[in-house]
């Protein structure tokens, strides 16, 4: 293929916004013809690759991406005009190196620039976040109902419904919160968060939270009386619900308030010791509304 046909093909690739393919063809064309121009093409190819990577990761603003893309395009067009040149590429205002060593330097600078972009990302104006909710069984155990809220930094986002796929979607979050710590708040669901796959949206825009069920508990209140006449309170009586699931003692007025695992209305076994003796062993019904009045046995 002659240089004129090749130049037309390269200009068409550039017009079609295919700068990577244009840089690759320039690199191949100058192989064995002009080392300095081949190095310049390689430098442009690295810049295209770095730019595309930063755009995909959301690490560069649209304005900066357009500016860099325009610079690369102009440099490709300038290089495409030199397909018949075989002498050493002079240093010009377009930024082409005069020697292969300088070309290598430009490649290294492009790599360093890309690394800096990765270390110091440019926050977008807004970003979206996908929240995945799993139970103790992992991906095969999605949590499919309820609502969740997110606290990003010091800002609490409005609640979102959990979909049938175990996901919640938060959109148009201000870019200023991209690197702020994220906390999930379960709502209308008896779960608590035990782990999450990323701490900020800068780490990932798709974060998985593992949840574990919070068991039902009922606050049981009551008074324990001695078996003798006069309804005297049993002070420091020891209460044991369901063989150690919940324990507590009465105060100086015989009162107790103990949270017991189980939903209101469930029956549990209650044992009471007083002064080292077992003085009560019966089933009781859990209720947070009623006050149990218990009289010890002899």
């Amino acid at each position: 293929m002659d240089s004129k046909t090749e130049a037309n093909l390269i200009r068409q690739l550039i017009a079609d916004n295919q700068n990577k393919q244009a840089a690759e063809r320039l690199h191949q064309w100058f192989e064995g013809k002009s080392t300095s121009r081949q190095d310049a093409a390689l430098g442009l190819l690295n810049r295209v690759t770095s730019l595309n990577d930063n755009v995909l990761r959301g690490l560069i603003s649209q304005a900066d991406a357009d500016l860099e893309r325009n610079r690369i395009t102009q440099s490709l067009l300038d290089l495409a005009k030199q397909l018949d040149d075989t002498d050493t590429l002079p240093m010009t205002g377009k930024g082409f190196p005069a020697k292969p060593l300088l070309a290598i330097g430009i490649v290294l600078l492009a790599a360093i620039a890309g690394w800096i972009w990765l270390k110091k990302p440019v926050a977008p104006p807004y970003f979206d976040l996908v929240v995945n909710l799993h139970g103790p069984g992992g991906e095969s155990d999605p949590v499919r109902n309820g609502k969740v809220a997110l606290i990003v930094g010091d800002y609490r986002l409005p609640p979102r419904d959990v979909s049938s796929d175990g996901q919640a979607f938060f959109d148009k979050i201000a870019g200023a919160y991209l690197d702020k710590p994220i906390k999930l708040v379960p709502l209308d669901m008896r779960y608590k968060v035990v782990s999450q796959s990323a701490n900020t949206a800068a780490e990932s825009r798709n974060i998985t939270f593992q949840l574990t069920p919070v068991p039902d508990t009922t606050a049981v209140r009551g008074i324990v009386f001695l078996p003798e006449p006069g309804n005297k309170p049993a002070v420091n009586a020891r209460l044991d619900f369901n063989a150690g699931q919940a324990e507590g003692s009465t105060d100086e007025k015989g009162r107790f308030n103990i949270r017991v695992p189980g939903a209101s209305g469930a029956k549990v076994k209650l044992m009471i010791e007083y002064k080292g003796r077992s003085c009560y062993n019966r089933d009781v019904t859990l209720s947070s509304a009623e006050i149990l009045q218990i009289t010890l046995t002899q």
Side-chain angles (χ1 to χ4, degrees), residues 5-293:
T5 304
E6 181 69 14
N8 288 334
L9 177 57
I10 291 172
R11 282 194 291 269
Q12 186 59 50
L13 288 172
I14 295 171
D16 293 339
N17 198 27
Q18 299 185 50
N19 284 348
K20 182 178 180 181
Q21 290 85 340
E24 289 173 344
R25 291 196 70 92
L26 283 167
H27 184 265
Q28 294 171 2
W29 175 268
F30 286 116
E31 184 176 2
K33 299 184 181 72
S34 174
T35 302
S36 58
R37 288 176 176 80
Q38 187 182 25
D39 289 338
L42 178 61
L44 291 171
L45 179 59
N46 277 281
R47 287 172 63 184
V48 172
T49 302
S50 178
L51 174 61
N52 291 341
D53 184 61
N54 287 332
V55 169
L56 286 174
R57 292 171 178 263
L59 302 178
I60 185 172
S61 68
Q62 187 62 49
D64 289 339
D66 290 342
L67 181 60
E68 174 66 359
R69 190 175 291 109
N70 290 339
R71 288 171 176 168
I72 293 172
T73 298
Q74 186 58 54
S75 295
L76 288 169
L77 289 171
D78 290 340
L79 195 57
K81 297 176 183 178
Q82 304 174 42
L83 298 186
D84 290 326
D85 297 335
T86 58
D87 58 328
T88 301
L89 183 64
M91 179 65 72
T92 71
K94 305 301 181 183
F96 292 130
K99 297 180 180 179
L101 182 60
L102 292 178
I104 295 173
I106 285 183
V107 173
L108 291 175
L109 286 175
I112 292 172
W115 181 82
I116 291 174
W117 277 115
L118 290 175
K119 295 298 286 183
K120 295 182 178 180
V122 177
Y126 299 96
F127 65 90
D128 299 338
L129 193 63
V130 178
V131 167
N132 303 284
L133 306 176
H134 294 166
E139 292 186 8
S140 61
D141 183 22
V143 177
R144 302 177 186 274
N145 51 54
K147 291 186 177 183
V148 292
L150 278 186
I151 299 176
V152 186
D154 57 357
Y155 178 55
R156 184 185 179 109
L157 300 176
R160 295 288 191 272
D161 290 321
V162 179
S163 73
S164 59
D165 295 326
Q167 292 184 322
F169 301 92
F170 294 83
D171 58 351
K172 294 189 178 303
I173 306 170
Y177 294 97
L178 185 70
D179 60 351
K180 301 299 182 183
I182 292 175
K183 179 180 179 181
L184 181 82
V185 181
L187 303 172
D188 300 334
M189 50 199 305
R190 298 192 62 80
Y191 284 91
K192 64 179 181 180
V193 178
V194 294
S195 68
Q196 60 191 79
S197 61
N199 293 315
T200 68
E203 296 177 33
S204 176
R205 312 289 176 84
N206 193 312
I207 302 180
T208 297
F209 293 85
Q210 182 174 339
L211 310 180
T212 189
V214 176
D216 287 329
T217 60
T218 302
V220 179
R221 299 174 297 156
I223 303 174
V224 179
F225 298 104
L226 295 174
E228 58 196 48
N231 287 334
K232 293 182 179 181
V235 181
N236 290 328
R238 185 71 181 171
L239 294 88
D240 181 335
F241 290 87
N242 266 355
Q245 283 192 348
E247 298 178 330
S249 300
T250 58
D251 60 15
E252 69 279 1
K253 294 183 178 181
R255 298 171 303 186
F256 65 88
N257 188 341
I258 302 171
R259 297 198 69 87
V260 180
S264 182
K267 289 187 177 295
V268 298
K269 179 72 68 175
L270 171 60
M271 298 179 62
I272 302 177
E273 288 187 357
Y274 182 70
K275 293 185 177 180
R277 295 175 52 247
S278 176
C279 300
Y280 194 87
N281 187 351
R282 296 180 184 177
D283 287 339
V284 296
T285 300
L286 298 182
S287 173
S288 58
E290 298 181 9
I291 297 178
L292 293 178
Q293 298 192 33

